[in-house]
Amino acid sequence: MIPAAVQSGSVIRLSLRQGRLVTTFALEGEKVFIGRLPGNDVRVEDDSVSRKHCLIRKTAEGGLEVLDLNSRHGTLVNGKSVDRSPLVEGDEIALGEARVLVGYPGGKAAAPATAAPAPAADAVPARVGKELLSGSLGLSFSEQIYREIRRSPCWAASLFAHAAVLYLLSFLVHALPVPASPLGTVDGSLDGDLSGLLEELSAPAEALPMPEDDLSPPSPLANEAFVDPPDDAPVFEDAGAEELLATGPAIMGDAGRDPAPEAAGTVDVPDRAFERSKADDANREAVALLSRALSGRGGGGSLGLLRSLAPEELLVVEGAYDRVEDVLDLLGLRYETVAVRQLERLSFRGRKAIFVNCSNEVPSPKANEKLRSYVEGGGYLLGTDWAVENVMRRAFPEFIAPLERKGRNSITRDETISIHACKEARGHFLVEGTALDRRDARWWLEESSYPFRILDQKHVTRLIESEDLREKYGSSEVAATFRCGGGRVLHMLGHFYQKEGNLKGTFSAQRLVANFLLSAVRGR
């Protein structure tokens, strides 16, 4: 039987539960998209939820149904996996770790035992995404406290007991004597020992011995805004003291000791795998290795050159999924950021390089025209993943394009693939120093990454490829570059900031970015 609330067109209440947070929203229109993308009607920021996970909509008969949108973990209704299922009051929809409870005004849905109580029907907002904590929308803090106390079956006795304990604690705090302070008396006067200590500390600085090391000439980077390594700097599990000292330039720049003699600008990168929970540590460790390679004798002081760039010379276009900023921050580089919608009003004059993060927001036609003109005039542009659709297809349509299947862009699963440098790219300056000589580097692809194809085989240089990718999706391209006018474009599948895989793949992604920046500075 169809609920009367649906037949009459009344507002349908849906409660999204994530842990202890309950978000109540209303289905006033015909449908609601739920997923991890910002463009969804209801956004669930959880890795277990797909970018577009499911759709809840009203049917032609006046009922309600849910449709799974080929989500990674599937959609469950009352514990049963479904592709499409009708919904009635009290149904629970599972999206990864999140739960959606279906309810109607005037009805009483059977909420899960751990779910917070739903708000009254008249408190439900007539828009999507209003967050409620424990269903207490519109209540003052004191009203919420009172409501929680009244939930106890013996609330009066509980209130009296808590008040008695608080009174006793207050009495003890004021009645007990205060112990003498080793630093001074309660009234603020100083003990004699402390006064003497302060007199010693206030002696002129000339009287204090100066370490001989402080007489050494200042570092050429002394005027740059760098500080000591942070407390959470990477620590190599299998590294000895000498190796840890050798990684000093990873944070401090060129002023540290030279690394051990190695091939020019290269370091030995282990193929140690890491899970998503260890992604931050892995990216930091990769940056430490990269900094070591760029700052010693073999690197020719390249890190110092990159750190000398002014913020206005390096522009980062914000994204929804990728964040090259995290890599640049770890390298100690300075940059400016801009939202996609601001591109068409921004001047690109004086920019050495522009990074376009993976985003679901498409630059305006005018902005893409400006990006094309910027590259033709000698600029350097680097993009990842969805930039092949949002920027490359629109601004550089003759070079590369998204891989299509049945008239739609092909998309990947959330997975890692084996990668290596293309045969024709051996010796190319953009892959120089990367750990891609063998096929043991792993590269992370987020769910719905866009594989791409090369249109101009003559002018586009393939840099990185993957046989895994070819077998699964029909295209092996992972990274490619081309000249356009006086500038250069580099596009790579996946993200700058690798969230899974192994250290070789993470290091190679970062080295590719660094090499591209160096080519922009040196005009290669």
Side-chain angles (χ1 to χ4, degrees), residues 240-255:
E242 289 298 317
E243 185 174 356
L244 288 174
L245 284 173
T247 64
I251 303 296
M252 298 301 293
D254 296 336

Side-chain angles (χ1 to χ4, degrees), residues 400-431:
I400 63 175
L403 183 68
E404 295 183 353
R405 184 177 182 182
K406 297 181 179 179
R408 300 179 61 183
N409 290 345
S410 181
I411 59 175
T412 68
R413 294 181 176 274
D414 189 322
E415 59 188 318
T416 61
I417 56 175
S418 175
I419 62 169
H420 60 91
C422 298
K423 184 177 181 180
E424 60 268 34
R426 303 287 170 83
H428 196 284
F429 59 89
L430 286 179
V431 296

Side-chain angles (χ1 to χ4, degrees), residues 269-275 278-290 327 330-331 416-417 419 434-436 440-444 492 495-514:
V269 183
D271 58 358
R272 184 167 64 252
F274 63 90
E275 298 177 354
K278 300 294 183 181
D280 289 342
D281 293 338
N283 277 273
R284 286 179 176 273
E285 186 172 347
V287 166
L289 289 169
L290 175 60
V327 177
L330 290 173
L331 282 170
T416 61
I417 56 175
I419 62 169
T434 58
L436 299 175
D440 53 0
R442 304 292 297 178
W443 192 273
W444 174 67
M492 54 187 277
H495 291 178
F496 300 110
Y497 202 80
Q498 292 279 294
K499 294 184 180 179
E500 202 173 330
N502 69 1
L503 199 57
K504 280 198 172 184
T506 303
F507 173 86
S508 298
Q510 296 176 359
R511 183 64 192 253
L512 195 66
V513 172

